[in-house]
Amino acid sequence: MATSKSRAAVGLAVAGSLVLVLGIVLVFVRPLIIDDQIIKNVEINPKNDLSYTMWKDIPVPFFMSIYFFNILNPDEVLNGEKPLVEERGPYVYREYRQKDNITFHANQTVSYREYRRYHFVRNMSVGSESDVVTIPNMLVLGAAVMMEDLSQELRRFVSSVFSAFKEEAFLTKPVGELMWGYDSRLVQFLNKFFPGMLPASGKFGLFAEFNNSNTGLFTVFTGQDDIRKVHKVDWWNGLKELSYWRTKQCNMINGTAGQMWPPFMTTDSTLSFYSPDACRSMELVYQRPGVMRGIPVYRFVAPTTLFANGSDYAPNQGFCPCRQSGIQNVSTCRLNAPVFISHPHFYNGDPVLRDFVLGLDPSEDKHGLFIDIHPETGVPMNVSIRLQLSLYIKAVSGIKQTGKISEVVMPMIWFEEKGYIDGPVLTTFYRNLVLMPTILEYVQYVLIGLGLLALLGAAVLCYWEKRSLRQGKGTSTKQKGNGDCVKDRVNDQSVFARQPEKFVLAGTETQL
């Protein structure tokens, strides 16, 4: 019995030690295994089906929602009163993006052009593309501000041209035409006699140049030699930096192309990306942790300084000439048209901007932009980029179409580009990069626990075996003592048995 317990204790001790060591080793090895798998799955490599497919052709629904600032009092605005606007939208478009002309280079970079197409989604929209809204006429009011410093005679001539083509200060047209272009005799005239003056060679629309277009030639790092550089932009259209702005810092092309980021992020990380549409690089900052469909994420948001003017935030001085904080002048990359970008409804902007336009109501939930990103992989789980386009308008002497318009940065539209990972892509992502690492983490603790239990069991068996041995020795000693006592009693009886014989002999001797 003792031998059996001894063998069991040794077996448990050996097995427990091995399992415990395996669990401890897994504690140190598991992060290395997971990191290695993440690196293999996030680098831009055609051999990695999941990440390469997500990078090449965005496999999840992506939508662009358009909101118009419909002007309710255009006649009063011409007489110098404040504009009164109502938000009309969303008008939702399914956005399709696909990378083409993909070329890998020997220095671990890859070049491509990303094409985008838009299709109207009626059942997600507030109305149809035939809905009519009124917005500022960029051809008239934008051109008026651009010609403010020209001679009075030239301004009057331009005003007469506007009159000849029946162009007024405000446009009332269907949403579809304002978005993708409308026929304008003025545009046809300018394209014929002043080719290249306008960005569009055909119809004129706010997004006419977006549909079926690309965002330029990007060259980004694949991360195959250094995962810390994966997705970061090396060149854009053959440029290392821009020439739109006044300082080197503002002209820098920083971060990624805005779709994925390097892995292993922390709360101190920032999300930098270059936006050709905004003509600049942007940087988002960490706000808070969260969970999106079972996947841990970090939320990154725009800092209040993103569109601050140079007086409030010195690094933005290069984007000037500036007006109030909260709007950025992008005229230098928009053919000098007085166009401004900002958060919708001038959210995070100087309150003065909202004093000159009635009907605005900014809020973080509706108008703040954010990206929810899985920090371990750098893959966005939920994205909402919200920006507003505004036109600086005012009365310009000599151009009668501007009337008595008060100086104002007039909102025209704001848009939201939104997408999130769902369906089979989400399932695959969750299984490979969240579930499996979690299982491995639990396995290591289970192994450590089993190892400790086995060692504890071995210790208990050893304790009971020693106790049994001590009890066995005590019993043997007691039995040995009782035997002596019996043996002594037997010897005493022998003595008494011999004494009568002695007495008999003694009596006989007496008688003789």
Side-chain angles (χ1 to χ4, degrees):
M1 185 67 178
T3 304
S4 177
K5 287 184 179 180
S6 177
R7 289 177 177 175
V10 172
L12 276 176
V14 172
S17 298
L18 290 176
V19 172
L20 180 61
V21 169
L22 181 59
I24 294 174
V25 168
L26 195 57
V27 169
F28 295 98
V29 173
R30 183 189 67 88
L32 301 178
I33 295 174
I34 294 173
D35 289 354
D36 182 65
Q37 289 301 310
I38 289 175
I39 290 172
K40 290 180 180 178
N41 279 282
V42 302
E43 66 183 20
I44 303 175
N45 190 333
K47 295 179 181 179
N48 298 330
D49 292 336
L50 174 63
S51 60
Y52 185 74
T53 300
M54 290 179 63
W55 173 79
K56 180 178 180 293
D57 304 313
I58 298 178
V60 298
F62 214 78
F63 299 93
M64 181 174 69
S65 300
I66 304 294
Y67 298 81
F68 285 85
F69 290 98
N70 182 44
I71 301 176
L72 299 178
N73 60 339
D75 294 336
E76 288 79 2
V77 175
L78 280 172
N79 287 322
E81 296 185 20
K82 292 182 180 181
L84 173 62
V85 299
E86 66 169 356
E87 184 179 281
R88 296 280 296 276
Y91 296 94
V92 182
Y93 296 84
R94 173 70 187 272
E95 185 174 351
Y96 298 89
R97 295 190 180 192
Q98 182 179 17
K99 293 180 176 64
D100 204 354
N101 298 61
I102 299 174
T103 305
F104 286 85
H105 307 292
N107 65 342
Q108 308 301 332
T109 62
V110 58
S111 298
Y112 65 88
R113 291 183 183 273
E114 185 172 75
Y115 292 84
R116 52 193 177 184
R117 296 177 291 111
Y118 299 92
H119 292 281
F120 184 65
V121 184
R122 177 63 182 86
N123 63 353
M124 296 178 67
S125 303
V126 71
S128 70
E129 286 189 299
S130 60
D131 291 352
V132 175
V133 296
T134 299
I135 64 171
N137 187 344
M138 288 187 65
L139 291 174
V140 173
L141 297 181
V145 172
M146 292 168 66
M147 293 183 291
E148 183 179 16
D149 296 329
L150 300 180
S151 66
Q152 183 79 359
E153 291 76 13
L154 184 55
R155 293 199 298 271
R156 288 175 179 171
F157 169 75
V158 170
S159 180
S160 65
V161 172
F162 289 155
S163 297
F165 289 105
K166 298 181 179 180
E167 294 285 347
E168 300 295 337
F170 298 99
L171 282 174
T172 301
K173 288 186 175 296
V175 166
E177 292 186 16
L178 292 173
M179 282 289 297
W180 310 114
Y182 57 89
D183 292 319
S184 168
R185 291 190 301 137
L186 175 59
V187 172
Q188 294 172 358
F189 171 80
L190 293 175
N191 284 332
K192 181 178 180 179
F193 293 100
F194 304 95
M197 183 177 180
L198 298 177
S201 58
K203 297 181 178 182
F204 184 81
L206 296 174
F207 284 78
E209 59 182 290
F210 279 65
N211 207 8
N212 298 313
S213 66
N214 67 81
T215 54
L217 181 64
F218 275 92
T219 301
V220 302
F221 292 97
T222 65
Q224 295 183 32
D225 60 336
D226 186 354
I227 199 63
R228 295 170 299 179
K229 296 194 299 183
V230 66
H231 301 298
K232 289 188 176 182
V233 179
D234 187 27
W235 302 83
W236 177 73
N237 281 343
L239 301 173
K240 284 284 190 179
E241 62 180 34
L242 306 173
S243 58
Y244 301 132
W245 313 112
R246 298 169 53 191
T247 64
K248 184 178 180 63
Q249 181 177 354
C250 291
N251 279 319
M252 293 176 66
I253 299 177
N254 295 327
T256 72
Q259 294 175 351
M260 294 184 184
W261 281 265
F264 312 126
M265 291 183 172
T266 69
T267 55
D268 294 324
S269 300
T270 59
L271 291 190
S272 299
F273 62 96
Y274 172 66
S275 171
D277 298 328
C279 309
R280 59 167 290 187
S281 296
M282 297 185 181
E283 184 175 75
L284 308 187
V285 296
Y286 172 82
Q287 184 190 51
R288 59 177 172 82
V291 177
M292 189 264 190
R293 291 173 171 80
I295 298 175
V297 297
Y298 284 171
R299 172 158 290 190
F300 289 82
V301 299
T304 56
T305 57
L306 182 63
F307 297 123
N309 62 25
S311 300
D312 291 342
Y313 186 61
N316 283 354
Q317 187 67 42
F319 294 123
C320 293
C322 299
R323 299 186 64 82
Q324 296 89 348
S325 273
I327 58 176
Q328 182 188 324
N329 188 341
V330 292
S331 60
T332 54
C333 68
R334 290 290 179 262
L335 300 176
N336 290 320
V339 177
F340 289 78
I341 61 172
S342 67
H343 295 298
H345 289 246
F346 298 126
Y347 168 70
N348 270 347
D350 191 322
V352 172
L353 293 166
R354 297 189 294 275
D355 290 341
F356 290 99
V357 181
L358 304 176
L360 302 181
D361 185 22
S363 72
E364 180 180 2
D365 289 341
K366 294 180 180 179
H367 307 128
L369 65 85
F370 68 86
I371 296 177
D372 290 336
I373 197 164
H374 182 234
E376 292 298 315
T377 61
V379 175
M381 297 286 105
N382 188 21
V383 177
S384 180
I385 302 298
R386 299 160 175 162
L387 293 174
Q388 174 178 300
L389 295 180
S390 303
L391 185 68
Y392 173 57
I393 62 176
K394 61 185 294 188
V396 177
S397 175
I399 300 180
K400 64 180 182 180
Q401 286 80 6
T402 61
K404 300 177 182 178
I405 295 176
S406 299
E407 184 178 348
V408 61
V409 178
M410 183 70 202
M412 293 190 298
I413 65 168
W414 73 269
F415 61 91
E416 176 185 30
E417 288 188 290
K418 184 174 184 178
Y420 56 88
I421 290 183
D422 203 358
V425 175
L426 176 66
T427 301
T428 303
F429 186 93
Y430 179 80
R431 182 178 63 248
N432 293 346
L433 297 174
V434 177
L435 183 60
M436 292 305 297
T438 302
I439 291 175
L440 283 176
E441 183 177 6
Y442 286 139
V443 166
Q444 71 186 23
Y445 295 130
V446 168
L447 290 175
I448 291 173
L450 290 175
L452 291 174
L453 284 175
L455 291 175
L456 180 62
V460 170
L461 285 175
C462 286
Y463 169 77
W464 282 108
E465 182 183 7
K466 290 181 179 179
R467 183 174 178 180
S468 298
L469 288 174
R470 285 196 297 269
Q471 288 179 345
K473 289 180 179 179
T475 302
S476 299
T477 303
K478 184 176 181 180
Q479 289 174 349
K480 182 178 179 181
N482 292 337
D484 291 342
C485 290
V486 172
K487 190 174 182 179
D488 290 340
R489 285 195 295 269
V490 171
N491 291 335
D492 290 342
Q493 290 174 359
S494 300
V495 170
F496 287 127
R498 287 194 299 270
Q499 283 179 350
E501 181 180 359
K502 183 177 179 182
F503 293 147
V504 171
L505 292 173
T508 302
E509 292 176 351
T510 302
Q511 291 175 358
L512 291 175

